[in-house]
Amino acid sequence: MNELVFFINNVVISGLTIGSIYALGAVGITLIFSILRFAHFAHADLMTLGAFFAFFLTSLFPAAGPAIGLPTAFVMLPLAMALTALSAVYIDKAFYKPLRSHGVKPIVIVMASLGVTLMLQGLIRMFMGTSARSMYIDDRKGIHRIELPFELANRPVVLTDPQILLILLLIVIVIALHLFLTRTRLGKAMRAMSDNPDLARVSGINTDTVVKVTWIIAGSLAAIAGTLLSLDVSLKPDLSFHLLLPIFAAAIVGGVGHPYGALAGGFVIGFAETLSVFNWAVILRPWRDYLWFDLPANMAFVSSEYKITVPFFILLAILVWRPTGLFKGKVL
Amino acid sequence: MGSIIEVRQVNKAFGALQVINNCSIEVAKGSITGLIGPNGAGKSTLFNLIAGTFAPDTGQIIFDGEDITAIPSDQLFHRGLLRTFQIAQEFSHMTALENLMMVPPQAGESLLNTWLRPARVQQEEAQVRQKAMDVIEFIGLKHVRNELAGNLSGGQKKLLELGRTMMVDARVVLLDEIAAGVNRTLLQDLIRNIQRLNQELGYTFLVIEHDMDMIAQLCDPVIVLAQGSVMVQGTIEEIQQNEAVIEAYFGNDAH
Amino acid sequence: MLMKLPMKETLLMVALAVAVLLLIQVMGTAYGVRVLVEASCYAIIALGLTIQWGYAGLFNAGIMGFVALGGFSAMLLTFPVNQSFWESELSGELGMAFLKLFAAIALVAAVLQLHRLSVPRSIRVPIILMVLATLYLWVVNGFAPVSQSIVSQYGFIGGFGLPVWAGWLVGGVLAGGVAYFIGHICLGLRSDYLAIATLGVAEIIKAFLKNSDWLTRGTLTVSPLPWPVPGAGEVGFVMARSLYLSVTAVLIAIIFYLLHRAYNGPWGRMMRAIRDNELSSSAMGKDVNQRRLEVFILGCVLMGIGGAALATFNGIFDPNGYLPLNHTFLVWVMVILGGPGNNLGTLFGAVFVYVIWVMSEPVALFILNSISYLGDLWFAWEAPSDFTSRALQARVFTIGLIITLVLRYAPNGLFPEKVQHHH
């Protein structure tokens, strides 16, 4: 029974958490891919920027959270989202748009996004320092220990406040995104532009507005993901390093250009990570006398130092066997 | 004279659209065969299938007795099957002469040869240059040989494409609307060159064209393609008098 | 080979020479020569990238991985032999573990050929996955006990004690081999995907080198690495480094010569045609994928050699020392600035960017310490304790800014590609 709890904590809950983070990042990536047709390498740093804004606002108004009963950083989230969205729009205007108007090859814009990555990293570290910071200033991370009503289970299922908030928020976002893309004029314009930009333009769709909205959505989702991840762990300046590859893998696995695919892809990658570093020896322990081999102390597929290789291998596998991804997106 | 290209019951669909529908044609060796038909009949798709740009869903394509159905275009080149493009695909940043010189496979294209056998590379390069000069004179572009290909006129680019097919021993050349965008004078040059290549070097041509005068001057037989399959085949006079062909081109209210 | 250079290029070269002389004047000759040697190693790496990007349009974001492979080869082949390890039984056990690995690879290759036996896809895929998973666990568990014993008893397996040039050569070969493998999988895809894939490859290579303590001592690092010329202890810093510089300079000259021959011959013309119009090149019989792979491998070979030369010069192999910023993005700036596809421009870019990068640390520190001092003096402002490490991030920002500015205003670099048209 304890083993099941261990599994739930380390695979199910962890997988849901990191999967949601990847999903949110991947949706941004896939939207930018489909509207602007380039791989936005600076996206993971956009997520860090969002977290940084939340941190900054939290340090300015530390008492805001306890007053409501939620973590301060979460209360500041709408503001952080707005700031990140604005930053995203301005980055596009300053760095990507001029290149687009010059009609350069998409790969050049990808290189420009590399430059933006470095600029964001330098700026964030200049202001924040290079060490990890906690997002809690006047409050503490709420940890819930849920005891299971079974006799043999004397270890609790552990769920933190940020995790609960993240999952709830994700559900809200999925519904909102669905409604936006299917019911609103702007959402339909986005889908049209994703299919055929020239046709969209001559049909009277204001492509500039669609582009801005794309960045606003991508930036906001990035802020949510970055902030909640930092709330759950801590705000590390090298956050982007661990996020970049998984969110791209998630977007490609899900099928480039399909937001729902990106969501699914995020969870695929998230669960693949948690399942592969999970120590299966723990699950098999109750049956160790019946096994034909000696149960080693650690039977994980991949040791935790190599965790970063998991999304990469999944990406490689998808590129080789099904480049259009799960939802048959564009190979571009 | 046998057939050098056989297309056997080939099908190709793009999504829900069946572009090529149980199509079978034969191109006689040494002929200049025309391929005409209304827009959307599938002519360019058929070319792409024969030329190896993509493979058919079902059916076979035979080239001089060999099954080439799934073989890609770069390999077909080496077997003597060449094609030109509807929109001239020249190498715009290279001179006209270089456009010709890049065609034949030569020792210098291998890095190891470039570094380890410079003498041989130089020798073959000189031979290629000489051949390119001969070809460029044949097609009448000697005066623009050092001009960047991107600066040439549409007709000159088409001539250059034809010239490229002369840099190697081609057996079959697929010409995709080579007259499109070419002025009358240069068009006569093109037609003359095609006939010369056919008579002097034994090239077989399969020609897609909308220009009926050119077809009349050049092609025998003419195959009419409509809705992805062969409607009728014959000499140009027979085709022009065929009622079904007229209907296909002009619709039901032609009479 | 050096034809008469037009005005702009000559001016830029002169400016560079002045900058280097300034560096030597301010920091001393020994330091200056050291910077030049390191810049020359980066130049070799940058030449590798310039042909990948300039000639084949390949976006290699994983330069760091290939550089690290070069450094690793230098270490493995040239570090003195660990006699006690080889004489022990552990070497036999290690051999067994490797045998298992090769057997597993052979089995996987065999299983991947199942499609020839007309085994349907729905059965093939689960079989392949199961075989992969089982073999993977088998091999990993074969290595685990051996590697642990090696680390606890002997530290690491040591090197092979071979001459330095062998280490550099193998560095190139190893990098080329990995490039071949990766290229086959990824080169057919769009350039964004190649960038992501190479980024991933670099991280995996670094993770492997960092965590394989039995092979590389991991974070404990391996030093000293032997030099191809007499070291500082024998002839003094300036002389030793100058000798090293002459070695790398000769290497660069050879590479220049080989690349020049290739560019200006039929091979170069073919590559330019492919870059100009891929569709037409394919129709004219050029195997585009194979040529791209060829260029990719060649570029990575150069990166491996440069990485080996760099590691040997620094005398230490430290997997943690390979950073995407220093070993990937910096090289990109060198190539973009110098002009992709232009060898001389890339050489200029390498020296210029590296000198700026190296000088930026003391300059930044000076500026920031002044700000800190003046801030305290005038406003009683106390700088945070990690001020200097924070402030150095300004370098990162600047590199990023340079990339975006160059792309915006000089997308062809400062030395655009010059091609001789034969008349």
Side-chain angles (χ1 to χ4, degrees):
Chain A
M1 204 61 243
N2 273 341
E3 290 79 22
L4 184 63
V5 172
F6 187 68
F7 183 80
I8 292 177
N9 279 338
N10 286 37
V11 176
V12 178
I13 294 180
S14 285
L16 276 175
T17 312
I18 199 68
S20 311
I21 304 283
Y22 291 160
L24 288 170
V27 169
I29 296 270
T30 215
L31 283 175
I32 296 173
F33 240 134
S34 65
I35 305 280
L36 294 155
R37 301 186 194 276
F38 80 102
H40 187 222
F41 267 20
H43 206 77
D45 285 277
L46 213 57
M47 291 162 86
T48 316
L49 187 68
F52 169 71
F53 280 137
F55 173 73
F56 178 66
L57 289 166
T58 309
S59 49
L60 280 182
F61 307 107
I68 306 182
L70 290 169
T72 316
F74 187 77
V75 172
M76 293 291 135
L77 193 55
L79 218 58
M81 281 166 66
L83 286 169
T84 316
L86 230 73
S87 309
V89 172
Y90 272 108
I91 289 174
D92 180 58
K93 197 159 150 200
F95 300 110
Y96 304 143
K97 192 156 173 205
L99 291 175
R100 279 203 302 272
S101 353
H102 271 159
V104 298
K105 289 190 295 195
I107 195 67
V108 177
I109 311 186
V110 179
M111 294 171 81
S113 73
L114 254 185
V116 169
T117 303
L118 292 175
M119 286 199 277
L120 282 175
Q121 277 189 11
L123 274 176
I124 293 175
R125 284 176 218 207
M126 270 203 291
F127 281 102
M128 221 195 84
T130 44
S131 50
R133 307 291 200 97
S134 165
M135 297 278 271
Y136 296 94
I137 298 196
D138 267 1
D139 43 2
R140 267 205 333 237
K141 179 161 82 172
I143 302 181
H144 304 272
R145 295 189 158 78
I146 305 171
E147 298 282 349
L148 289 179
F150 300 110
E151 252 185 41
L152 295 171
N154 37 20
R155 300 183 62 186
V157 169
V158 179
L159 206 56
T160 66
D161 264 347
Q163 286 171 339
I164 298 174
L165 290 169
L166 176 63
I167 295 174
L168 288 175
L169 205 50
L170 184 70
I171 296 174
V172 169
I173 288 173
V174 171
I175 297 174
L177 202 62
H178 177 78
L179 290 174
F180 174 74
L181 287 174
T182 49
R183 301 283 177 86
T184 67
R185 231 184 54 205
L186 207 50
K188 291 190 202 161
M190 277 182 77
R191 282 160 59 206
M193 243 192 105
S194 156
D195 269 335
N196 191 333
D198 294 316
L199 195 58
R201 202 172 305 126
V202 301
S203 315
I205 293 177
N206 188 339
T207 48
D208 275 338
T209 312
V210 174
V211 167
K212 280 205 187 87
V213 169
T214 308
W215 284 108
I216 291 176
I217 298 178
S220 312
L221 294 181
I224 296 175
T227 306
L228 284 167
L229 181 63
S230 308
L231 266 174
D232 198 33
V233 185
S234 67
L235 179 53
K236 289 183 273 223
D238 64 350
L239 199 64
S240 53
F241 169 76
H242 294 284
L243 287 173
L244 188 63
L245 216 55
I247 59 177
F248 266 98
I252 294 175
V253 163
V256 165
H258 286 271
Y260 308 114
L263 289 166
F267 285 105
V268 167
I269 302 283
F271 278 108
E273 272 190 20
T274 48
L275 283 168
S276 52
V277 290
F278 182 69
N279 185 1
W280 294 92
V282 172
I283 293 278
L284 292 175
R285 209 169 285 156
W287 290 280
R288 86 178 82 114
D289 299 322
Y290 304 104
L291 296 171
W292 68 94
F293 56 88
D294 269 334
L295 193 66
N298 185 338
M299 227 180 77
F301 269 102
V302 177
S303 62
S304 46
E305 302 105 38
Y306 287 97
K307 197 161 78 156
I308 193 165
T309 66
V310 174
F312 175 70
F313 280 115
I314 298 178
L315 178 64
L316 269 189
I318 279 276
L319 285 178
V320 169
W321 274 302
R322 203 173 149 135
T324 48
L326 290 173
F327 280 60
K328 288 242 169 100
K330 314 175 222 275
V331 179
L332 287 177
Chain B
M1 187 112 50
S3 54
I4 193 163
I5 289 186
E6 262 184 75
V7 175
R8 293 181 187 163
Q9 292 170 315
V10 153
N11 281 291
K12 183 71 180 174
F14 290 109
L17 194 62
Q18 190 72 32
V19 181
I20 300 289
N21 198 347
N22 203 12
C23 180
S24 300
I25 68 171
E26 272 184 43
V27 179
K29 192 165 180 176
S31 68
I32 306 180
T33 304
L35 185 65
I36 65 173
N39 281 324
K43 305 187 293 294
S44 279
T45 309
L46 189 61
F47 255 32
N48 283 329
L49 287 169
I50 299 173
T53 311
F54 37 72
D57 298 331
T58 60
Q60 272 186 309
I61 303 174
I62 311 288
F63 175 55
D64 205 11
E66 265 186 85
D67 188 337
I68 60 162
T69 315
I71 298 185
S73 52
D74 56 278
Q75 287 178 38
L76 289 176
F77 170 90
H78 296 289
R79 294 173 194 229
L81 181 77
L82 272 59
R83 55 101 39 103
T84 66
F85 291 92
Q86 197 173 348
I87 305 173
Q89 298 283 341
E90 76 286 359
F91 301 106
S92 41
H93 298 102
M94 293 162 65
T95 66
L97 197 66
E98 285 177 324
N99 265 259
L100 296 177
M101 287 176 71
M102 64 75 64
V103 178
Q106 53 175 208
E109 284 177 349
S110 142
L111 279 175
L112 286 176
N113 278 337
T114 309
W115 292 330
L116 300 175
R117 287 147 134 189
R120 175 160 158 208
V121 166
Q122 230 174 359
Q123 187 188 41
E124 282 194 28
E125 176 78 348
Q127 286 170 347
V128 167
R129 178 186 303 278
Q130 185 55 49
K131 175 130 198 205
M133 286 297 287
D134 293 339
V135 167
I136 210 164
E137 201 165 339
F138 185 94
I139 58 177
L141 290 181
K142 188 168 174 186
H143 57 292
V144 291
R145 67 185 182 281
N146 290 320
E147 194 65 46
L148 288 182
N151 296 337
L152 299 177
S153 76
Q156 288 174 322
K157 290 183 190 176
K158 291 289 180 81
L159 270 175
L160 197 59
E161 271 204 62
L162 196 60
R164 284 213 291 272
T165 70
M166 294 172 56
M167 289 297 296
V168 289
D169 294 325
R171 294 192 283 158
V172 176
V173 179
L174 309 175
L175 294 177
D176 195 344
E177 288 191 53
I178 199 162
V182 178
N183 70 59
R184 295 275 113 194
T185 337
L186 272 171
L187 189 56
Q188 286 310 310
D189 278 340
L190 267 174
I191 294 175
R192 221 179 358 98
N193 281 319
I194 294 172
Q195 285 167 329
R196 276 181 73 182
L197 286 169
N198 176 250
Q199 284 151 17
E200 292 175 26
L201 294 173
Y203 278 26
T204 306
F205 284 98
L206 181 61
V207 181
I208 294 181
E209 249 329 311
H210 285 294
D211 184 337
M212 286 304 150
D213 291 333
M214 183 168 175
I215 297 274
Q217 260 189 290
L218 209 50
C219 305
D220 180 19
V222 176
I223 302 174
V224 182
L225 207 67
Q227 289 174 322
S229 54
V230 177
M231 177 179 272
V232 72
Q233 173 173 333
T235 66
I236 185 68
E237 293 88 18
E238 291 167 7
I239 297 297
Q240 280 172 328
Q241 285 158 11
N242 186 305
E243 285 205 0
V245 174
I246 298 172
E247 199 170 306
Y249 263 100
F250 298 112
N252 287 332
D253 39 38
H255 300 291
Chain C
M1 194 164 52
L2 278 175
M3 346 268 161
K4 47 175 167 50
L5 299 164
M7 197 45 152
K8 178 176 120 191
E9 276 84 340
T10 329
L11 274 173
L12 283 168
M13 289 300 209
V14 167
L16 180 65
V18 167
V20 171
L21 286 172
L22 201 70
L23 176 76
I24 293 182
Q25 183 72 357
V26 169
M27 305 292 292
T29 322
Y31 185 83
V33 182
R34 182 188 119 194
V35 168
L36 280 178
V37 175
E38 290 174 349
S40 66
C41 298
Y42 274 97
I44 298 175
I45 299 170
L47 283 170
L49 182 64
T50 208
I51 67 177
Q52 290 178 343
W53 173 239
Y55 256 56
L58 299 170
F59 188 163
N60 185 351
I63 304 172
M64 174 187 84
F66 298 101
V67 171
L69 284 176
F72 165 69
S73 304
M75 183 274 289
L76 185 69
L77 263 76
T78 64
F79 197 72
V81 180
N82 188 344
Q83 285 290 53
S84 43
F85 162 73
W86 290 104
E87 285 164 8
S88 75
E89 52 195 32
L90 278 180
S91 56
E93 284 180 35
L94 186 66
M96 276 303 301
F98 267 103
L99 264 168
K100 281 192 193 174
L101 177 65
F102 295 142
I105 293 178
L107 272 168
V108 169
V111 157
L112 283 174
Q113 299 297 318
L114 265 181
H115 66 270
R116 289 182 198 263
L117 286 175
S118 314
V119 176
R121 194 136 185 232
S122 43
I123 305 183
R124 247 196 303 140
V125 174
I127 292 185
I128 293 179
L129 289 175
M130 273 196 304
V131 168
L132 270 172
T134 343
L135 285 176
Y136 169 78
L137 283 173
W138 181 58
V139 168
V140 166
N141 283 320
F143 271 94
V146 191
S147 48
Q148 271 164 14
S149 315
I150 293 178
V151 173
S152 53
Q153 291 180 30
Y154 299 102
F156 81 124
I157 68 170
F160 293 125
L162 295 170
V164 176
W165 61 263
W168 293 11
L169 188 67
V170 171
V173 169
L174 182 62
V178 172
Y180 176 78
F181 182 66
I182 295 297
H184 257 300
I185 301 177
C186 305
L187 276 186
L189 307 160
R190 189 178 128 114
S191 17
D192 305 35
Y193 288 12
L194 181 68
I196 299 163
T198 46
L199 203 70
V201 168
E203 290 304 331
I204 291 180
I205 292 174
K206 177 173 168 175
F208 173 72
L209 292 174
K210 200 167 89 168
N211 292 304
S212 304
D213 289 28
W214 60 275
L215 189 62
T216 64
R217 268 167 60 104
T219 45
L220 292 176
T221 77
V222 178
S223 64
L225 300 179
W227 269 29
V229 295
E234 296 160 53
V235 293
F237 279 108
V238 176
M239 191 49 164
R241 290 172 180 175
S242 304
L243 285 170
Y244 205 102
L245 184 60
S246 53
V247 171
T248 51
V250 165
L251 206 52
I252 292 177
I254 295 175
I255 294 172
F256 255 66
Y257 174 68
L258 291 175
L259 287 180
H260 175 87
R261 286 269 298 281
Y263 283 170
N264 290 308
W267 185 86
R269 182 174 55 226
M270 174 181 64
M271 295 310 296
R272 273 180 284 125
I274 292 177
R275 194 180 56 186
D276 196 318
N277 190 327
E278 194 178 313
L279 184 63
S280 212
S281 307
S282 201
M284 293 290 109
K286 312 303 172 195
D287 189 343
V288 173
N289 280 338
Q290 202 218 338
R291 292 303 172 178
R292 287 226 170 103
L293 186 61
E294 192 177 73
V295 171
F296 188 64
I297 295 175
L298 183 60
C300 290
V301 165
L302 289 180
M303 290 175 188
I305 295 178
L310 194 60
T312 300
F313 180 70
N314 287 326
I316 181 171
F317 178 69
D318 177 14
N320 258 337
Y322 290 105
L323 303 165
L325 174 65
N326 298 26
H327 295 94
T328 299
F329 302 146
L330 209 59
V331 181
W332 266 106
V333 175
M334 292 171 180
V335 167
I336 296 175
L337 197 70
N342 183 322
N343 293 351
L344 215 54
T346 302
L347 183 61
F348 169 86
V351 178
F352 182 70
V353 171
Y354 194 69
V355 167
I356 300 281
W357 174 255
V358 157
M359 287 197 336
S360 63
E361 181 166 340
V363 167
L365 276 175
F366 173 72
I367 294 178
L368 298 160
N369 279 330
S370 314
I371 293 180
S372 171
Y373 175 72
L374 288 172
D376 190 29
L377 198 64
W378 293 342
F379 309 107
W381 169 61
E382 225 178 277
S385 52
D386 58 349
F387 186 59
T388 33
S389 72
R390 282 202 205 195
L392 285 177
Q393 295 298 322
R395 288 203 297 180
V396 180
F397 177 81
T398 315
I399 293 282
L401 192 63
I402 293 180
I403 292 181
T404 42
L405 286 178
V406 172
L407 284 177
R408 178 93 150 71
Y409 295 109
N412 288 321
L414 296 174
F415 291 75
E417 186 186 344
K418 285 192 189 35
V419 185
Q420 296 174 318
H421 291 291
H422 297 276
H423 291 288

